[in-house]
Amino acid sequence: MSKKSILIVEDNMDTYELVHFILEKNDFVTFLAMNGRDGVNAAIKQKPDLIIMDLSMPEMDGWTATGLIKRD
């Protein structure tokens, strides 16, 4: 069985590293997008099993990014 993948859309590296550490210890694969626009692109390209989305980010906020991902 392959590991589940989780996209973390987060502009704060300290927060990302903490979440990544916890998830990795629980056998998940994570990848990072630093803003909403990159998060939308990563979600479409990578097709993660789960997305953890920061709501307040530069370039595109998490609310807008989530709406675009849901439409796809």
Side-chain angles (χ1 to χ4, degrees), residues 16-61:
Y16 167 74
E17 289 174 4
L18 174 63
V19 173
H20 167 77
F21 175 78
I22 292 167
L23 293 172
E24 187 178 62
K25 290 290 183 189
N26 286 283
D27 214 26
F28 293 97
V29 174
T30 68
F31 50 104
L32 170 67
M34 295 288 293
N35 62 57
R37 187 172 318 282
D38 290 345
V40 171
N41 292 333
I44 291 168
K45 183 179 178 184
Q46 300 291 335
K47 304 284 190 228
D49 295 297
L50 178 72
I51 300 171
I52 298 175
M53 179 77 69
D54 182 1
L55 296 176
S56 176
M57 293 178 289
E59 293 206 31
M60 179 186 295
D61 66 32

Side-chain angles (χ1 to χ4, degrees), residues 60-71:
M60 179 186 295
D61 66 32
W63 296 105
T64 303
T66 298
L68 291 172
I69 293 167
K70 284 176 134 180
R71 280 191 242 151

